[in-house]
Amino acid sequence: MSDQITNITASHAEHLAGGFGFTEGPLWHPDGHWLFVDIQKLQIHKMSDDGTIETYRDPSFGTNGMTFDKQGNLVICESDNRQIMRQQKDGSYTAIATHANGKRLNRPNDIVGRSDGTLYFTCLLYTSDAADDTPCV
């Protein structure tokens, strides 16, 4: 592991693109491109291997964390809508989690998929609706 850390710390950072507000959630797609979120501009972007950037989803509804499920579908945390969404093969989105233990999700933030298909996500403890400031679960 120490060799891996040395390789990372000995590498040089490379500026790939600019003009974004606040980027997070980079995700490598097996087809050879990056997806990443601009939180301030509420957009998901796609960067091809040649450096071309295009808007992938606008608006992103507060998306931060992204991963792929076992079937290769994009799964995103929509913080603004308080839900986890899956992108279908036709490009449409379907909510796959809005509640847990009978309570509305608060602000899903980051997500990761395990090899058996289980999805794990973090959830922030606040909402834009102060009257409904219940913890995630």
Side-chain angles (χ1 to χ4, degrees):
M1 173 102 126
S2 63
D3 289 342
Q4 293 171 334
I5 292 172
T6 301
N7 289 340
I8 292 170
T9 58
S11 299
H12 297 285
E14 182 180 347
H15 184 262
L16 299 177
F20 304 104
F22 183 78
T23 58
E24 274 206 42
L27 179 65
W28 178 253
H29 193 284
D31 289 345
H33 60 267
W34 288 100
L35 294 175
F36 63 95
V37 176
D38 187 334
I39 292 175
Q40 286 181 342
K41 295 183 180 179
L42 298 173
Q43 297 172 328
I44 299 174
H45 296 283
K46 174 182 172 181
M47 177 185 269
S48 301
D49 61 355
D50 66 0
T52 304
I53 296 177
E54 61 185 85
T55 301
Y56 186 82
R57 188 173 192 215
D58 184 10
S60 69
F61 303 102
T63 295
N64 187 358
M66 302 184 290
T67 194
F68 295 106
D69 66 13
K70 194 172 181 177
Q71 294 74 35
N73 298 304
L74 179 65
V75 179
I76 62 175
C77 292
E78 272 189 6
S79 291
D80 292 351
N81 290 332
R82 302 173 64 184
Q83 59 193 0
I84 308 292
M85 299 289 282
R86 174 182 290 133
Q87 184 180 31
Q88 305 302 321
K89 297 297 181 195
D90 67 2
S92 65
Y93 288 84
T94 302
I96 60 171
T98 58
H99 290 75
N101 298 328
K103 295 182 181 178
R104 179 85 171 148
L105 296 179
N106 218 320
R107 289 187 65 88
N109 187 55
D110 286 316
I111 190 164
V112 64
R114 199 166 100 173
S115 60
D116 69 358
T118 304
L119 297 171
Y120 297 92
F121 64 94
T122 60
C123 197
L124 303 176
L125 298 178
Y126 63 87
T127 67
S128 58
D129 180 3
D132 191 21
D133 201 17
T134 56
C136 213
V137 285

